Amino acid sequence: MYKDQIIIDGLQYCNWTRDYFKTLQKSGITAVHVTLVYHEMARETLTNFAKWNTLFEQNHDLIMRVDGVEDIVLAKKLGKVGIFFGAQNCSPIDDEIGLIEVLRKQGLLIMQLTYNNQSLLATGCYEKNDSGITRFGEQAIKEMNRVGMIIDMSHSAQKSTLEAIEISTRPICISHANPNFAHDALRNKSDEVIKALAAKGGLLGFSLYPFHLPNGSKCTLEDFCKMIAKTADLVGVDSLGIGSDLCLDQPQEVLEWMRNGKWSKAMDYGEGNASNSGWPDDLPWFKDEKGMENIYNGLMKYGFNEKEANQILGGNWFSFLQSGLEPKN
Amino acid sequence: MYKDQIIIDGLQYCNWTRDYFKTLQKSGITAVHVTLVYHEMARETLTNFAKWNTLFEQNHDLIMRVDGVEDIVLAKKLGKVGIFFGAQNCSPIDDEIGLIEVLRKQGLLIMQLTYNNQSLLATGCYEKNDSGITRFGEQAIKEMNRVGMIIDMSHSAQKSTLEAIEISTRPICISHANPNFAHDALRNKSDEVIKALAAKGGLLGFSLYPFHLPNGSKCTLEDFCKMIAKTADLVGVDSLGIGSDLCLDQPQEVLEWMRNGKWSKAMDYGEGNASNSGWPDDLPWFKDEKGMENIYNGLMKYGFNEKEANQILGGNWFSFLQSGLEPKN
C-alpha cells in the first residue's frame, strides 16, 4: 500500500509555505530533498539555513529536519514531512575545502559539483568545453566521501560526471534528470552515464520538470512510466528513484535567478528561450498531493510489481542515503 | 581522587598543537572550553571551525569534540580531552538573529555578548558608558535561551551584566573573571554581580590570568584558594568553577590581535600599558600538566572538602552545561 511506504522526493524547490507543507503532508511523502542553495556562497548559505530554522520553528507540527535516515523513520512515525538539504552548486564552500565538513555538520547532506556552468570543481552541462574534474574537484570529492556528503551531478557535463563516478569511492547520485533516450536535452543523461552511475551503486532520480520530459508538459503518466521501465531494462531497478524538480508557485524572478544567478548581465534562458522564457505548464498528473501516488499506481499499471514500485518511490533513496551519509572516520 | 573526577577548564586559548594536547591529556582535564573566536565575524568563524575539524582529524587519539555533556562523559571514558567551543564576542552572528541557532548547531555552545568594547548586544567592561543590553541584545538573549547557547558576560560591563542576568530565563556564566574584592580591575566583578549571578544559578569561573589576580604573576596558590574561599562565603560553592584563561605559547601578535582586533589603529594595551605590553609571566603553579591538580590539592589544603573541590574543579561546570545546553523546544 502506498500509504505504508517511505516515499522520498529526491528534489524540490517549491515556494515553501505552510499551505504547501500541508499539501506535502497529505501527499504521503515522507521526506523531500530541498534545494537550499543555487548560487549562494558560504555566508549567504548560513542565512538560508537560518530561514529554514524559522520554517521548522513555525511549522513543527508539519515538518521536521532530517540529518540522517533515522530522522526519515521518525518523520514517518510522527506523520511529519522530513526535510533534508542539498545545494545545486558548490558555491556554499567558496574556495575552501574545510567548509565541506562544516556544512555537512550544518545539515547540507548533498551537493552538486556544478550548476550548468563551469565551477571550481567541475564542468556544467551548458558549457561548450568539458574539462572534467578539476584539481580542487578531486580534493573535494575525497573530502565529501570522507564526511558523508553526497555528490550530485544532475547539472554537470558528461566527462565531468563520468570522472566523478570514477574518482568517488562512494556511490553518487544524479538526483533529478532523465535519460537522453527519452528526451534529448543537455540536462539529461546518456546511457553511458546512467550505466556507469548504476554500476557503482549510484542513484538516478527521474525528473518531472517538463523541459526534461518527452513531449514536455504534455508528457503522460504512461510516457513517464515507460521511460522508467526502459531505464530499468538498462540498469535494473535498484538505482532508480524520483527527483521531481518540482518548483510549485515560484514567480518568474526565481526562474530568472536560478538561470542567471549573479554571473550574467545578458538574460540566460536556461532550457527555455527568448520566446519561451517562463515556467513550463505543470503536468496535470503531478502538481498536487496526488502526484507521487499517481506515479506509484502508474508504475504498477505499466509493468512493475509492488516491491519495485516501493523501491522507486522511496526505498532506493532511503538505502542510498543510509550508506551515503555515514561518515568514514 | 583527582584522577577519577571530571575536570573542566572553563576557558583556554592556548597555541593548539599536538604537544599541547598531550599535556592536556596528562593534566587530567576532561574537557576544555576553547575560545574559537575573538573578533571574527560569521564567515571567518566557519574557517575557524574548519581549522578545528582538521585538528580533530589529526589528533583524534588525544582530543574529541564536545557538543553536549554526554560527550564529556565519553571523553572521560576514552581518556581523551573534550573540546567545546565558545566565542568571546558576538561577532560570529554578524547582525543576524538567525545565526545564533545556525552556530549553535555548528557547535558554538557559549557566546559572550561583548568583548571589552560596545557590541551590537551589550557594553564591554572598558567602555566609559555602559548603556546596558541593547534592543538586538534582548532578542539575542531570548534566542540563546531558546536554542541552548550559553550566555557569557566575562568581558562585559556591570550594568549590562546585571541586565543580562535579569533578562535571561536561564542561568548565565562569567566563564573567566575574578571578584573585585581580590583584585580591583575592570575585568573583575563586583560582589553585586557575583551575588546576582549565583542567585539565578549562574557560574563564575576563576581566572588564572595574572592581570586578574592579586599580586599578578606573584599570586600564590594560597592567595588563589583564599579568593575562592571568600567567594564561597559570599555565594556558596555551587556557583564556582575554574576558567583559567590560559594562553600558553602564544606570540605577542596574538595578544595584540586579541586587544585590537580590526577596530583600532592606535595600539590598545588592554590590561597592560605601553611599558608593560607583553604577556604576563606564567604562574609557577599553573603552567603545565600539574596546574589543575595543584588547585585541587590547594583547595583541600586551604579548607574545602573533597566534594567541594570536585565541584569547583569540574562538577559545577558539568551541571551548568548539562542544563544550559538543552534546547527549550
Side-chain angles (χ1 to χ4, degrees):
Chain A
M1 292 275 286
Y2 173 81
K3 75 173 180 55
D4 301 325
Q5 302 309 311
I6 283 183
I7 307 295
I8 297 178
D9 191 340
L11 197 118
Q12 291 195 7
Y13 187 69
C14 294
N15 188 356
W16 306 109
T17 62
R18 185 164 174 85
D19 275 350
Y20 184 60
F21 294 139
K22 286 183 187 167
T23 302
L24 269 176
Q25 195 185 37
K26 275 188 241 156
S27 75
I29 292 176
T30 320
V32 184
H33 171 200
V34 162
T35 288
L36 185 78
V37 157
Y38 278 98
H39 303 286
E40 295 90 333
M41 296 185 76
R43 176 60 186 86
E44 300 161 293
T45 299
L46 298 186
T47 294
N48 291 3
F49 272 114
K51 285 179 183 165
W52 266 100
N53 286 340
T54 300
L55 288 175
F56 287 124
E57 199 183 344
Q58 292 172 342
N59 300 282
H60 57 87
D61 53 327
L62 300 173
I63 59 170
M64 59 173 277
R65 187 176 181 129
V66 168
D67 279 325
V69 288
E70 64 283 0
D71 296 323
I72 297 179
V73 174
L74 184 61
K76 181 74 186 172
K77 193 177 145 197
L78 298 174
K80 296 185 184 183
V81 180
I83 303 288
F84 58 102
F85 295 113
Q88 297 230 12
N89 201 344
C90 63
S91 50
I93 65 166
D94 292 357
D95 60 353
E96 188 170 342
I97 188 85
L99 293 199
I100 291 171
E101 188 172 6
V102 167
L103 289 169
R104 177 63 183 81
K105 184 170 168 71
Q106 196 63 43
L108 192 73
L109 308 192
I110 300 176
M111 188 171 78
Q112 289 197 46
L113 302 193
T114 58
Y115 184 77
N116 299 340
N117 289 2
Q118 178 68 44
S119 78
L120 296 183
L121 307 183
T123 305
C125 61
Y126 287 176
E127 293 287 357
K128 269 201 291 289
N129 301 307
D130 177 3
S131 49
I133 300 297
T134 65
R135 282 153 48 90
F136 183 16
E138 279 201 46
Q139 300 287 328
I141 288 172
K142 199 170 159 186
E143 180 69 354
M144 290 170 80
N145 284 166
R146 186 180 74 82
V147 304
M149 184 187 278
I150 291 169
I151 295 160
D152 185 353
M153 296 301 276
S154 295
H155 285 255
S156 300
Q158 169 139 333
K159 182 181 173 196
S160 291
T161 305
L162 290 170
E163 286 184 11
I165 292 166
E166 178 64 28
I167 294 167
S168 179
T169 57
R170 307 179 78 158
I172 76 166
C173 73
I174 292 171
S175 67
H176 60 301
N178 291 328
N180 262 330
F181 68 70
H183 175 64
D184 196 17
L186 288 169
R187 269 279 282 107
N188 283 340
K189 307 301 172 189
S190 69
D191 288 10
E192 185 185 357
V193 163
I194 294 168
K195 283 199 264 186
L197 178 81
K200 296 255 317 245
L203 193 138
L204 174 70
F206 290 99
S207 167
L208 283 294
Y209 191 54
F211 283 121
H212 306 156
L213 289 169
N215 305 315
S217 298
K218 296 197 170 59
C219 177
T220 65
L221 177 58
E222 188 176 1
D223 293 336
F224 185 74
C225 294
K226 278 183 179 166
M227 170 177 73
I228 297 181
K230 197 171 163 191
T231 315
D233 289 343
L234 193 70
V235 295
V237 169
D238 295 352
S239 295
L240 310 184
I242 303 293
S244 72
D245 209 0
L246 192 67
C247 299
L248 282 181
D249 203 21
Q250 294 283 26
Q252 178 66 17
E253 71 231 38
V254 166
L255 183 63
E256 289 172 5
W257 171 78
M258 284 159 63
R259 288 169 171 172
N260 292 276
K262 294 171 287 189
W263 65 272
S264 181
K265 289 177 82 170
M267 180 68 78
D268 185 87
Y269 295 104
E271 293 150 314
N273 54 59
S275 58
N276 180 25
S277 64
W279 289 102
D281 291 338
D282 295 328
L283 298 162
W285 48 274
F286 194 85
K287 61 170 191 175
D288 58 21
E289 68 268 20
K290 287 289 172 198
M292 289 295 256
E293 195 167 359
N294 287 339
I295 295 175
Y296 187 82
N297 294 328
L299 288 174
M300 287 199 283
K301 186 166 170 190
Y302 300 113
F304 290 90
N305 63 36
E306 191 173 341
K307 175 169 172 285
E308 292 167 334
N310 293 341
Q311 279 186 272
I312 295 168
L313 268 285
N316 289 337
W317 262 117
F318 186 89
S319 308
F320 176 76
L321 291 170
Q322 189 162 35
S323 64
L325 297 177
E326 193 72 18
K328 282 243 166 156
N329 67 345
Chain B
M1 292 276 285
Y2 174 79
K3 74 174 180 54
D4 300 327
Q5 301 309 313
I6 283 184
I7 307 295
I8 297 178
D9 191 340
L11 197 119
Q12 291 194 8
Y13 187 70
C14 293
N15 188 359
W16 307 108
T17 62
R18 185 165 175 84
D19 275 350
Y20 184 61
F21 294 140
K22 286 182 188 166
T23 302
L24 269 176
Q25 195 185 38
K26 274 188 244 156
S27 76
I29 292 176
T30 320
V32 184
H33 170 199
V34 162
T35 288
L36 185 78
V37 158
Y38 278 99
H39 303 286
E40 295 90 333
M41 296 185 75
R43 177 59 186 83
E44 301 161 293
T45 300
L46 298 186
T47 294
N48 291 3
F49 272 114
K51 286 179 183 164
W52 266 100
N53 286 340
T54 300
L55 288 175
F56 287 124
E57 199 183 344
Q58 293 171 343
N59 301 282
H60 57 86
D61 53 327
L62 300 173
I63 58 171
M64 60 173 278
R65 188 177 178 125
V66 167
D67 278 326
V69 287
E70 63 284 359
D71 296 323
I72 297 178
V73 174
L74 184 61
K76 181 75 186 171
K77 192 176 147 197
L78 298 174
K80 297 185 184 183
V81 180
I83 303 288
F84 57 102
F85 295 112
Q88 296 229 14
N89 200 345
C90 62
S91 50
I93 66 167
D94 291 357
D95 60 353
E96 189 169 340
I97 187 85
L99 293 199
I100 291 171
E101 188 171 6
V102 166
L103 289 169
R104 177 63 182 80
K105 184 170 169 71
Q106 195 60 229
L108 192 74
L109 308 192
I110 299 175
M111 188 171 78
Q112 288 198 46
L113 302 193
T114 58
Y115 183 76
N116 298 341
N117 288 1
Q118 178 69 40
S119 77
L120 296 184
L121 307 184
T123 305
C125 60
Y126 287 177
E127 293 285 359
K128 270 201 292 288
N129 301 307
D130 177 4
S131 48
I133 300 297
T134 65
R135 281 153 50 90
F136 183 13
E138 280 202 46
Q139 299 287 328
I141 288 172
K142 199 170 160 187
E143 180 69 355
M144 290 170 80
N145 285 166
R146 186 180 74 83
V147 304
M149 185 187 279
I150 291 169
I151 295 160
D152 185 354
M153 297 302 275
S154 296
H155 285 255
S156 301
Q158 168 139 332
K159 183 180 174 197
S160 291
T161 304
L162 291 169
E163 286 184 11
I165 293 166
E166 178 64 28
I167 294 167
S168 178
T169 57
R170 307 178 79 158
I172 77 166
C173 73
I174 291 170
S175 66
H176 60 302
N178 291 328
N180 262 330
F181 68 70
H183 175 65
D184 196 17
L186 288 169
R187 270 280 282 106
N188 283 341
K189 306 301 171 189
S190 70
D191 288 10
E192 185 184 357
V193 163
I194 294 168
K195 283 199 263 185
L197 178 82
K200 296 254 322 243
L203 193 137
L204 174 70
F206 290 99
S207 166
L208 283 294
Y209 191 51
F211 283 122
H212 307 156
L213 290 169
N215 304 316
S217 298
K218 297 200 168 59
C219 177
T220 65
L221 178 58
E222 187 176 0
D223 293 336
F224 186 73
C225 293
K226 278 184 179 166
M227 170 176 73
I228 297 180
K230 196 168 164 192
T231 315
D233 289 343
L234 194 68
V235 294
V237 169
D238 295 353
S239 296
L240 310 184
I242 304 293
S244 72
D245 210 0
L246 191 67
C247 299
L248 281 182
D249 202 22
Q250 294 283 26
Q252 178 66 16
E253 71 230 40
V254 165
L255 184 64
E256 288 172 5
W257 171 77
M258 285 159 62
R259 289 170 170 172
N260 291 276
K262 294 171 286 189
W263 63 271
S264 181
K265 288 177 83 172
M267 181 66 79
D268 185 86
Y269 295 103
E271 291 150 316
N273 54 59
S275 58
N276 179 24
S277 64
W279 289 103
D281 292 337
D282 295 329
L283 298 163
W285 48 274
F286 195 85
K287 61 171 191 176
D288 59 22
E289 68 267 20
K290 288 288 171 200
M292 288 296 255
E293 195 167 358
N294 287 339
I295 295 175
Y296 186 82
N297 294 329
L299 288 174
M300 287 198 285
K301 187 167 169 190
Y302 300 112
F304 290 90
N305 63 36
E306 190 172 344
K307 176 170 173 283
E308 291 166 335
N310 293 342
Q311 280 186 273
I312 295 167
L313 268 284
N316 289 338
W317 262 116
F318 187 89
S319 308
F320 177 77
L321 291 169
Q322 190 162 36
S323 65
L325 297 176
E326 192 71 19
K328 282 244 166 158
N329 68 346

